[in-house]
């Protein structure tokens, strides 16, 4: 009996030892638990503006530190070259035209808080899935995905209707109109036409009135009265919106409540930082998702006095360096709460830098390094290749650089899987889970093809030929730069997607980005033996991709983007919308 007991104990100990030996390492265990997730997104930041991506004159030590401690992606691609569609794709893991969030016209972003377009309520964001998995979810900063659908308080497009438990920030986007001292930015050319039309109608009315008084023109007073009424009606119809942009669009909200109308820009940066840190402190005892959507580095480049004049790149450089400091403050808050090893941190920009944004000799937009093109250009790399950095100590190998095609849409399946959620099965998800690639368990990205849209127009396609290492990119449409060879559309300020401002290519322009990342030397059938097979392969991929598209309501249609007074968020009794509840506090 004693011998049997001894054998039993020996086998039990051996089993325990074997179990411990076979147990996965600590890094594997931490995958099973739900990590905190902090997503940091810059606005209009160029890939060439960051130190770890080659900039040696703008100081970004905190962003560079993330790259040293984590994984840097060198071919991280936005799904669109402008704010609204790019962020819609980021939130849903789907090309923006699948949700109707890409434009059929020249109005390619949400234009008013009082518009009816926005991220459809039937779209499932990663925040909504993480919320269902028990996460506390917060969005601090820029939204730009719409607010209301049919009434001022239905909040159908609002962050709280898309899975966020807490929201503090701008439902719109920062624009120069938010500063009374700056030149108006929003729809500048159209506003000039409206002013001109108003003056012409006023001139006709005044001429008719003077002619009637002097008897030089035979016109009835009834006609003069109608002209006066028409002039006033026309003026009021457009000035009621464009004349008060600062009050209608430049507002701050906490959840559903408007807290500043118009926003007090002097304290915006400090409030966004305070809210970000406060969210971490409030939710440190349970898994949380924090999306910090910076207003930096979008014009008018709100920069506190502490950072003015610090960089060698003027106001834009000052603004980027301040954003880097804010990144550092958020990371310090994570460290202070002892959450560094249980938190996945991600940093990116929503699209490339705005090359055309200038005031006189001042460059107010970003730099895209060696990559051609910039913001609003759907095909060229400079408009869509952005910084992409992940840090998760003990799980992701530090100091790793990955040169594989990845997308902002990949964040969706990545964080959903980390939270233990399940991807929606009733729709196409274009993103791919990045964890195997980030951890080094696979060599290549799951993306074989990426489609580059400008509005609803397909401008280019990327094919990652994994067996050869080639990254082919075919351009079917490119913008016409002005002046010729300038590299941007300086005449209009933003390159168009269609019409006379673009060139169609048949056969398409073909580049191998693995050899020519600057897209400087297009290949041809004479210079590239694989030209015809590559173009045929990409053509078949486009056909397959288009078969997955289904018609959806256009969220950026002219009707949806126009300002509607009955949808305007207002902290008073409309139209008397003015408040400063932060100042009152």
């Amino acid at each position: 009996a004693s011998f049997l007991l001894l054998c039993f104990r020996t086998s039990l100990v051996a089993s325990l030892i074997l179990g411990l030996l076979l147990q996965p390492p600590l890094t594997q265990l931490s995958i099973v638990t739900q990590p905190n997730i902090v997503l940091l997104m810059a606005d209009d930041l160029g890939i060439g503006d960051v130190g770890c991506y080659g900039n040696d004159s703008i100081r970004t030590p905190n962003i560079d530190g993330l790259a040293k401690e984590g994984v840097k992606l060198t071919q991280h691609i936005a799904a669109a070259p402008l704010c609204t569609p790019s962020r819609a794709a980021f939130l849903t893991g789907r090309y923006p035209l699948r949700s109707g969030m890409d434009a059929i016209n020249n109005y390619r972003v949400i234009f008013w808080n009082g518009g009816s377009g926005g991220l459809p309520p039937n779209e499932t964001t990663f925040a909504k899935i993480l919320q269902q998995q028990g996460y506390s979810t917060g969005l601090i900063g820029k939204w730009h995905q719409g607010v209301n659908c049919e009434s001022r308080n239905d909040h159908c497009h609002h962050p709280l209707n898309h899975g966020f438990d807490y929201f503090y920030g701008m439902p719109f986007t920062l624009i120069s109109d938010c500063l009374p001292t700056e030149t108006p930015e929003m729809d500048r050319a159209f506003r000039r036409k409206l002013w001109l039309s108003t003056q012409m109608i006023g001139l006709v009315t005044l001429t008719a009135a003077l002619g009637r008084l002097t008897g030089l023109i035979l016109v009835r007073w009834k006609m003069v009265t109608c002209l006066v009424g028409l002039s006033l009606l026309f003026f009021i119809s457009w000035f009621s919106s464009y004349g008060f942009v600062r009050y209608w669009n430049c507002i701050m909200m906490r959840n559903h409540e408007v807290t500043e109308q118009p926003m007090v820009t002097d304290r915006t940066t400090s409030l966004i930082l305070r809210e970000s840190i406060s969210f971490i402190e409030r939710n440190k005892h349970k898994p949380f998702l924090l999306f910090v959507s910076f207003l930096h580095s979008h014009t008018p480049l709100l920069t506190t006095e502490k950072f003015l004049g610090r960089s060698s790149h003027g106001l834009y450089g000052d603004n980027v360096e301040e954003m880097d400091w804010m990144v550092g403050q958020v990371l310090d808050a994570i460290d202070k709460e002892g959450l560094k090893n249980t938190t996945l941190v991600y940093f990116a920009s929503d699209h490339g830098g705005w090359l055309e944004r200038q005031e006189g000799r001042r460059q107010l937009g970003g730099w895209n390094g060696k990559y051609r093109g910039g913001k609003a250009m759907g095909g060229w790399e400079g408009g869509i290749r952005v910084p992409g950095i992940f840090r998760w100590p003990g799980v992701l190998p530090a100091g790793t650089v990955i040169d594989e095609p990845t997308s902002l849409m990949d964040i969706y399946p990545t964080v959903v899987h980390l939270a233990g959620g399940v991807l929606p099965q009733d729709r196409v998800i274009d993103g791919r889970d990045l964890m195997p690639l980030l951890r080094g368990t696979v060599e290549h990205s799951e993306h074989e093809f990426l489609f580059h849209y400008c509005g609803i127009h397909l401008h280019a396609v990327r094919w990652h030929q994994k067996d050869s290492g080639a990254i082919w990119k075919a351009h079917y449409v490119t913008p016409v730069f002005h002046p010729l060879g300038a590299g941007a559309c300086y005449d209009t300020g933003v390159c168009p997607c269609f019409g006379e401002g673009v060139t169609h290519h048949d056969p398409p322009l073909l580049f191998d980005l693995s050899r020519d990342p600057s897209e400087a030397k297009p290949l041809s059938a004479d210079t590239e033996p694989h030209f015809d097979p590559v173009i045929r392969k990409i053509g078949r991929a486009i056909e397959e991709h288009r078969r997955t598209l289904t018609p959806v309501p256009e969220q950026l249609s002219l009707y949806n983007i126009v300002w509607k007074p009955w949808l305007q968020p207002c902290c008073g009794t409309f139209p008397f919308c003015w408040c400063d509840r932060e100042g009152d506090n």
Side-chain angles (χ1 to χ4, degrees):
S2 60
F3 174 76
L4 290 174
L5 183 61
L6 179 63
C7 289
F8 173 76
R9 287 176 177 174
T10 303
S11 63
L12 182 62
V13 170
S15 299
L16 287 170
I17 292 173
L18 183 63
L20 288 171
L21 288 173
L22 293 176
Q23 193 150 358
L26 184 60
T27 57
Q28 291 274 57
L29 284 175
S30 58
I31 295 288
V32 177
T33 62
Q34 294 180 317
N36 305 310
I37 297 166
V38 176
L39 309 175
L40 308 171
M41 180 169 283
D43 196 2
D44 282 22
L45 180 74
I47 192 171
D49 294 324
V50 183
C52 59
Y53 284 92
N55 192 303
D56 58 4
S57 55
I58 296 179
R59 293 163 296 191
T60 55
N62 295 293
I63 299 171
D64 299 345
L66 277 177
K68 288 177 185 175
E69 296 179 0
V71 179
K72 181 178 77 170
L73 305 175
T74 62
Q75 203 177 154
H76 201 40
I77 308 299
L82 284 173
C83 308
T84 295
S86 173
R87 290 163 182 265
F90 174 74
L91 289 161
T92 62
R94 291 151 51 81
Y95 287 107
L97 79 166
R98 295 194 191 278
S99 57
M101 290 294 281
D102 233 338
I104 58 174
N105 50 53
N106 287 321
Y107 291 94
R108 296 161 57 189
V109 297
I110 299 289
F111 253 70
W112 299 97
N113 281 325
S116 53
L119 191 62
N122 63 350
E123 285 294 326
T124 303
T125 66
F126 56 70
K128 189 169 287 186
I129 297 178
L130 266 64
Q131 189 182 56
Q132 294 166 354
Q133 293 301 115
Y135 273 70
S136 296
T137 56
L139 167 60
I140 312 296
K142 169 175 172 170
W143 175 237
H144 210 192
Q145 298 292 303
V147 183
N148 299 311
C149 288
E150 297 178 355
S151 69
R152 183 168 291 121
N153 296 311
D154 66 31
H155 300 121
C156 69
H157 303 307
H158 191 279
L160 267 60
N161 199 42
H162 279 295
F164 291 100
D165 299 316
Y166 183 76
F167 169 63
Y168 177 80
M170 285 191 78
F172 194 61
T173 182
L174 200 59
I175 49 176
S176 292
D177 303 67
C178 297
L179 283 180
T181 56
E182 292 288 317
T183 304
E185 173 185 336
M186 187 174 149
D187 229 355
R188 193 182 300 183
F190 185 54
R191 270 199 263 194
R192 288 197 197 103
K193 292 178 182 177
L194 290 172
W195 266 117
L196 182 61
S197 300
T198 303
Q199 291 167 350
M200 291 178 66
I201 294 173
L203 183 62
V204 169
T205 303
L206 183 61
T207 302
L210 291 174
R212 178 67 178 82
L213 287 170
T214 59
L216 294 175
I217 302 177
L218 295 176
V219 60
R220 295 180 179 181
W221 280 115
K222 188 175 182 181
M223 177 63 71
V224 174
T225 304
C226 287
L227 283 172
V228 171
L230 178 65
S231 302
L232 286 172
L233 189 62
F234 178 74
F235 176 72
I236 292 170
S237 69
W238 71 265
F239 194 78
S240 60
S241 56
Y242 285 103
F244 298 90
V245 170
R246 185 163 161 257
Y247 285 84
W248 302 150
N249 281 347
C250 304
I251 67 175
M252 299 293 284
M253 296 182 76
R254 177 176 286 105
N255 296 327
H256 291 149
E257 179 187 36
V258 178
T259 59
E260 295 179 17
Q261 193 167 14
M263 63 194 292
V264 183
T265 54
D266 289 345
R267 61 171 178 241
T268 303
T269 297
S270 61
L271 287 176
I272 285 177
L273 185 57
R274 185 188 75 184
E275 290 282 347
S276 301
I277 294 172
S278 175
F279 184 88
I280 294 170
E281 292 172 345
R282 291 197 311 270
N283 295 283
K284 61 187 176 184
H285 295 303
K286 64 179 294 189
F288 65 81
L289 162 71
L290 172 60
F291 178 17
V292 182
S293 180
F294 294 107
L295 303 184
H296 297 58
S297 49
H298 199 292
T299 51
L301 302 173
L302 296 185
T303 308
T304 59
E305 191 173 344
K306 176 182 175 183
F307 283 88
L308 288 175
R310 283 184 48 163
S311 82
S312 58
H313 280 276
L315 182 59
Y316 182 83
D318 298 343
N319 193 256
V320 173
E321 291 192 5
E322 180 172 58
M323 181 189 62
D324 179 80
W325 169 77
M326 294 174 74
V327 169
Q329 294 296 299
V330 173
L331 297 179
D332 287 347
I334 294 170
D335 292 353
K336 179 184 173 185
E337 301 300 337
L339 303 174
K340 183 174 181 177
N341 292 336
T342 56
T343 302
L344 173 69
V345 178
Y346 167 75
F347 176 84
S349 177
D350 55 355
H351 51 71
W354 193 358
L355 300 179
E356 298 96 340
R357 190 64 177 97
Q358 300 172 333
E359 291 291 349
R361 300 183 67 179
R362 289 196 308 162
Q363 177 63 34
L364 301 179
W367 182 52
N368 301 310
K370 63 185 176 183
Y371 302 108
R372 192 173 183 181
K375 176 179 177 176
M377 303 182 206
W380 295 120
E381 286 293 283
I384 53 177
R385 192 182 289 222
V386 297
I389 303 171
F390 289 84
R391 186 194 76 176
W392 187 359
V395 176
L396 302 182
T400 302
V401 178
I402 296 177
D403 188 24
E404 288 281 311
T406 58
S407 170
L408 265 68
M409 296 184 291
D410 297 339
I411 303 308
Y412 187 98
T414 302
V415 300
V416 166
H417 288 149
L418 286 174
V422 178
L423 295 177
Q425 301 299 306
D426 61 345
R427 64 199 66 190
V428 176
I429 300 297
D430 298 297
R432 299 291 182 264
D433 184 3
L434 286 176
M435 284 307 292
L437 182 67
L438 296 175
R439 300 184 67 229
T441 58
V442 298
E443 185 180 353
H444 295 298
S445 160
E446 286 189 44
H447 290 290
E448 184 177 10
F449 295 95
L450 285 172
F451 303 90
H452 307 308
Y453 283 91
C454 186
I456 62 167
H457 307 277
L458 184 66
H459 275 207
V461 180
R462 174 186 318 248
W463 174 31
H464 184 202
Q465 192 177 9
K466 298 174 186 178
D467 56 350
S468 71
I471 300 171
W472 305 103
K473 188 173 173 194
H475 287 261
Y476 295 88
V477 184
T478 57
V480 177
F481 293 147
H482 185 85
L484 289 176
C489 302
Y490 290 101
D491 56 337
T492 56
V494 172
C495 286
C497 296
F498 61 93
E500 295 180 357
V502 303
T503 301
H504 294 263
H505 302 281
D506 187 14
L509 300 179
L510 183 67
F511 301 90
D512 180 0
L513 298 181
S514 64
R515 293 178 284 168
D516 181 19
S518 302
E519 299 173 289
K521 299 175 182 178
L523 304 170
S524 67
D526 296 329
T527 60
E528 174 52 59
H530 296 102
F531 184 90
D532 290 330
V534 167
I535 296 302
R536 285 196 297 269
K537 177 80 171 180
I538 292 176
R540 289 193 294 270
I542 293 172
E543 292 175 7
E544 292 178 17
H545 167 67
R546 284 180 170 153
R547 282 196 288 270
T548 70
L549 303 176
T550 54
V552 293
E554 296 292 343
Q555 296 299 321
L556 302 182
S557 66
L558 286 174
Y559 173 79
N560 278 332
I561 62 99
V562 74
W563 182 68
K564 302 173 180 65
W566 61 92
L567 298 183
Q568 176 62 48
C570 180
C571 59
T573 301
F574 187 85
F576 305 105
C577 304
W578 183 91
C579 64
D580 181 8
R581 286 167 183 158
E582 297 294 342
D584 296 341
N585 290 337

